[in-house]
Amino acid sequence: MINQKAPLEDGRTSKEKPQYSELSYLVTRQCLQREDFNQLSQYERLKPTALDSIGASVRNVKCLASIKGFFPILQWLPKYSIKNDLLSDMTAGLTVAVLQIPQGMAYGILAGVAANVGLYMAFFHSLVYAVFGTSRHISMGTFAVTSLMTAKIVATYSTVIPTLAFNGTDAIVSDLTPTESAIYTPIQVATAASFVAGIFYFIMSAARMGMLSSLLSEPLVSGFTTAAAVHVMVSQLKDLLGVSIPRYKGTFKVILSVRDIIDQAPNANLTAVYTSLVVILFMIFMNEYFKPWLSTKCRFPLPAELMAVVGGTVASYFIGLGPNFDVGLVGSIPTGLPAPQFPPFSLIKAVAVDSIAVTIVGYSIVMSMGMIFAQKDNYEVRPNQELVALGFTNIFGSIFSCIPTACSLSRSLIQHQTGGKTQIAAVFSSMIILVVLLWVGPYFESLPRCVLAGIIVVALKGMLIQVYHIKKFHREGSLELFVWCVTFLSVVIIDIDIGLLIGVVISLLSLYIKGWKTYYSLLGTVPDTAIYVDIGSHQRAEELPHIKIFKYTGSINFANKTNFKKALYKETKVHQRANVSLVPRYNGETTGLQSTKTVIIDLSSVPHVDTAACKMLTEVKTNLEKLSIALLLATPADCVYDALLHAESIGEGGFNVFPSIHDAVIYAQGNDSTV
């Protein structure tokens, strides 16, 4: 019963909001055990049958709502405001398209396929995601990490690999053996990987695995993306220097590539080196100095990447960097859209295992960016629907010469910052890319590869500086630091997919270790409050005579039941048959020798107990009874209480369970005639 002091001595009326110290409550009731309280509250354990669950699911299905949920565009497009949103979406779409042109070409080459493949992705993937996706701001298409992971698959299973090619031609890599004596081109392998990734996304959606990305901890993602950036950096060094090196696969790939690059450095093409240096310095100046200054004057970001691409193309065309100086060029870029063609089904089985890592990374990046924007703009991103969207995007894209997709961090941020409201911005961006594919593409054929390599290297800054996260993870804990270091070193030294697997295992192991670590303490009461707190942290808290209150935080199961029992005996000292302990007071004094007659276990912070834990509690209860000590359980959650009842039904348990600690204390004091 809440009592408010009114009227107050200072003249305030009772309608004025009282301070916390002016409120008090007085509850007078009987001491209740949990069974009595359940009768009072009419607690009923719900145990629906499988048939009931299926029937409820069928009854809850609404056809129209299900269709709109499967096609999210049907939910937001009818509400689209042309007056308020169209101009912002057009602006964002134009800005993103300008950035997608150089990024698409650069990351297409990074993936081991032709440059125009990145432009195909910017067109097809954006349109498909606009129909099925739930995020309003992410920009689908090429992404450095997934492109690099695709390049590994391409290098493993294809016969022809686009390497440094003078005058725009491809070089045959003789040391790669085609799978099962068949000849597969890089684009066939890449589209097969995209098709398999789409199938995996549909399987994950059907299995309701939308929250899988939450298993990828921040140290894992940071360490992985930083190491992947190292892979990307090393892969671009050959184009920056204008040298040709063998393409390695497997363990120590980065180390072997760096060794070969160092060996070939004396043979570097100086024209390519100077061109790369100019591009890198230009991009650094634009990104670090001019763009920040311009952002205070103008809403639109400066398209520095496109300026570098156009400038490099024009200079190469008039100077003749390819024919006159042997600088590697992008080469032929066909006009128009690719003809629909399914990837070779004979490759599906071969690339299935390698595509798992690409699938997980793509989904994690999409969900991470989607959740960031959803929280900022207060809308919902549905994890399982994102799996459906990525499934359709990858499968549809694989038919039109596209590689596995993900969202770009930089483009997504720009789409949000330039005022994009919905995926209509992506539609506008796709239309601009279509113009490039139909008419403008061939004008970029004389673009030097070293220009694209310079753009990629500068763009990696955001991922490479994540190495400074080591300090943050070190402050958070040794396990976080260990996960980051192991993931980073595994990806750099071994390989991307195996390193990611090692990082996931270590991350889950650290999560298990954290769950294994538990917190326990003895509780006492602050005088005249009936509030029970940790006596180690609250100086005025006092232990009650003859009563030990043990609080445990964490699950109790077969794996840690022994640790729980040891902690209980250690804190309550009941394992000492002398059964005598000193009871500390808040002023540092002691009450003398006091005999423990009751042990109360506070289960309020225990989310789960299993049958083995209940059996252990029975053993503890039996052992304490031999010492004339009663065991009481207090404040269990409903699921824990149900587990205790189940244990009692199979011959274990028989505990006295109370809805609160104070009920258990009153009960213990009432049964102790010496108090």
Side-chain angles (χ1 to χ4, degrees):
M1 179 174 63
I2 305 294
N3 296 325
Q4 181 176 314
K5 299 178 181 179
L8 303 176
E9 295 181 358
D10 58 359
R12 287 206 316 267
T13 64
S14 60
K15 294 183 180 181
E16 296 182 32
K17 185 176 180 180
Q19 301 295 323
Y20 74 93
S21 59
E22 298 168 356
L23 297 174
S24 62
Y25 72 89
L26 174 65
V27 178
T28 302
R29 63 172 175 84
Q30 293 179 335
C31 175
L32 298 174
Q33 292 199 36
R34 180 59 187 260
E35 183 178 356
D36 301 327
F37 179 76
N38 286 346
Q39 293 179 357
L40 181 64
S41 64
Q42 297 183 356
Y43 171 70
E44 180 180 359
R45 184 184 180 188
L46 300 177
K47 296 193 299 182
T49 64
L51 187 61
D52 293 336
S53 300
I54 295 174
S57 300
V58 172
R59 287 191 298 270
N60 291 332
V61 171
K62 297 180 181 179
C63 293
L64 183 59
S66 299
I67 293 174
K68 288 184 176 181
F70 192 75
F71 299 95
I73 192 173
L74 298 179
Q75 295 177 327
W76 57 264
L77 188 58
K79 303 176 184 178
Y80 187 79
S81 174
I82 296 178
K83 178 180 179 181
N84 297 327
D85 300 336
L86 184 60
L87 181 59
S88 297
D89 281 338
M90 291 180 63
T91 302
L94 173 63
T95 307
V96 170
V98 169
L99 185 59
Q100 271 185 327
I101 295 171
Q103 279 194 357
M105 299 173 66
Y107 293 147
I109 294 177
L110 177 62
V113 295
N116 55 315
V117 171
L119 299 179
Y120 295 158
M121 296 173 65
F123 176 71
F124 290 108
H125 287 176
S126 296
L127 290 179
V128 177
Y129 183 83
V131 176
F132 295 98
T134 57
S135 176
R136 302 175 188 173
H137 297 99
I138 62 175
S139 175
M140 300 300 294
T142 54
F143 177 57
V145 177
T146 52
S147 294
L148 182 66
M149 298 176 76
T150 303
K152 175 185 178 296
I153 303 176
V154 169
T156 303
Y157 298 101
S158 68
T159 307
V160 181
I161 303 293
T163 58
L164 180 65
F166 302 114
N167 300 324
T169 61
D170 289 336
I172 304 293
V173 180
S174 58
D175 60 337
L176 292 177
T177 303
T179 305
E180 298 180 356
S181 301
I183 296 177
Y184 297 118
T185 63
I187 191 61
Q188 287 178 318
V189 176
T191 55
S194 179
F195 184 85
V196 172
I199 297 298
F200 283 152
Y201 283 128
F202 282 133
I203 294 174
M204 292 167 62
S205 177
R208 313 299 294 176
M209 297 174 65
M211 299 309 296
L212 179 65
S213 62
S214 61
L215 296 178
L216 303 181
S217 62
E218 185 181 359
L220 169 65
V221 174
S222 175
F224 172 75
T225 52
T226 306
V230 174
H231 276 266
V232 176
M233 173 76 75
V234 172
S235 70
Q236 298 305 301
L237 290 178
K238 65 182 188 302
D239 286 334
L240 292 175
L241 299 177
V243 298
S244 179
I245 62 172
R247 192 156 192 172
Y248 296 98
K249 53 183 178 180
T251 308
F252 306 121
K253 177 174 62 177
V254 169
I255 298 175
L256 294 174
S257 297
V258 171
R259 182 201 63 185
D260 288 348
I261 290 172
I262 294 175
D263 291 341
Q264 291 294 325
N267 303 323
N269 187 317
L270 294 181
T271 304
V273 173
Y274 295 148
T275 304
S276 303
L277 186 60
V278 169
V279 172
I280 291 175
L281 292 176
F282 171 78
M283 293 302 304
I284 291 176
F285 172 76
M286 288 294 180
N287 292 341
E288 301 297 327
Y289 301 101
F290 194 73
K291 280 186 178 181
W293 174 81
L294 187 63
S295 63
T296 62
K297 309 292 182 180
C298 178
R299 174 183 175 183
F300 304 100
L302 183 72
E305 292 84 356
L306 186 61
M307 293 171 62
V309 167
V310 173
T313 303
V314 172
S316 175
Y317 178 79
F318 285 105
I319 299 175
L321 294 180
N324 298 331
F325 298 94
D326 288 334
V327 175
L329 305 179
V330 169
S332 176
I333 299 179
T335 57
L337 298 177
Q341 182 179 6
F342 278 96
F345 286 100
S346 56
L347 268 173
I348 300 301
K349 183 178 179 180
V351 303
V353 175
D354 298 82
S355 300
I356 294 176
V358 181
T359 303
I360 295 175
V361 171
Y363 178 63
S364 301
I365 296 299
V366 168
M367 277 304 302
S368 299
M369 294 301 296
M371 292 300 295
I372 290 174
F373 297 128
Q375 292 174 0
K376 287 183 178 180
D377 288 10
N378 194 28
Y379 64 89
E380 180 185 9
V381 171
R382 293 184 280 129
N384 279 294
Q385 181 60 32
E386 288 299 296
L387 290 172
V388 173
L390 287 172
F392 276 113
T393 301
N394 278 278
I395 290 180
F396 188 83
S398 69
I399 301 174
F400 291 95
S401 301
C402 295
I403 67 175
T405 189
C407 70
S408 166
L409 307 183
S410 58
R411 294 197 309 269
S412 299
L413 287 171
I414 288 177
Q415 183 167 320
H416 183 266
Q417 292 172 356
T418 52
K421 303 294 184 181
T422 67
Q423 284 295 330
I424 293 295
V427 175
F428 277 109
S429 178
S430 299
M431 295 302 103
I432 297 173
I433 297 297
L434 179 61
V435 173
V436 175
L437 287 170
L438 294 179
W439 294 288
V440 183
Y443 292 102
F444 293 109
E445 291 180 356
S446 58
L447 173 64
R449 287 175 178 258
C450 58
V451 173
L452 295 177
I455 293 174
I456 292 176
V457 167
V458 176
L460 292 175
K461 175 195 171 186
M463 288 193 289
L464 289 173
I465 62 175
Q466 290 180 138
V467 71
Y468 291 109
H469 289 177
I470 291 179
K471 296 180 180 179
K472 180 182 73 171
F473 296 131
H474 178 65
R475 290 194 298 267
E476 291 181 1
S478 57
L479 284 176
E480 284 78 5
L481 178 63
F482 182 71
V483 170
W484 194 98
C485 293
V486 170
T487 304
F488 177 82
L489 294 175
S490 299
V491 173
V492 170
I493 297 175
I494 302 177
D495 210 345
I496 290 182
D497 48 1
I498 299 177
L500 176 62
L501 177 61
I502 293 174
V504 170
V505 172
I506 296 298
S507 180
L508 294 178
L509 182 61
S510 68
L511 185 65
Y512 177 76
I513 293 174
K514 290 179 182 178
W516 184 276
K517 290 182 177 180
T518 55
Y519 171 78
Y520 54 86
S521 61
L522 284 182
L523 304 185
T525 181
V526 178
D528 302 323
T529 65
I531 298 175
Y532 298 89
V533 292
D534 183 357
I535 60 174
S537 304
H538 300 263
Q539 298 301 312
R540 292 201 63 215
E542 303 175 1
E543 281 193 79
L544 297 172
H546 309 288
I547 298 175
K548 295 285 187 180
I549 306 174
F550 178 73
K551 181 181 179 66
Y552 188 85
T553 301
S555 297
I556 310 174
N557 50 50
F558 70 94
N560 64 0
K561 63 178 183 178
T562 302
N563 292 336
F564 172 87
K565 185 162 59 174
K566 289 181 179 178
L568 174 66
Y569 289 161
K570 174 186 175 183
E571 291 295 315
T572 59
K573 297 183 174 61
V574 294
H575 63 296
Q576 301 173 358
R577 186 56 191 97
N579 203 24
V580 173
S581 61
L582 293 177
V583 182
R585 292 289 187 178
Y586 70 90
N587 58 5
E589 298 177 355
T590 59
T591 61
L593 299 180
Q594 295 284 345
S595 175
T596 300
K597 296 187 177 182
T598 304
V599 172
I600 300 173
I601 300 179
D602 177 12
L603 299 175
S604 60
S605 299
V606 176
H608 170 74
V609 295
D610 60 6
T611 304
C614 295
K615 185 176 181 180
M616 177 271 299
L617 289 174
T618 303
E619 295 174 357
V620 171
K621 177 174 176 287
T622 302
N623 293 335
L624 293 180
E625 287 175 349
K626 293 178 181 179
L627 302 176
S628 300
I629 300 175
L631 176 66
L632 308 179
L633 305 182
T635 63
D638 288 340
C639 59
V640 174
Y641 179 73
D642 292 337
L644 295 173
L645 289 182
H646 174 70
E648 186 174 355
S649 67
I650 60 175
E652 303 291 345
F655 305 106
N656 289 319
V657 186
F658 297 86
S660 72
I661 298 177
H662 200 57
D663 283 282
V665 169
I666 297 300
Y667 177 86
Q669 291 175 337
N671 284 274
D672 186 0
S673 59
T674 64
V675 177

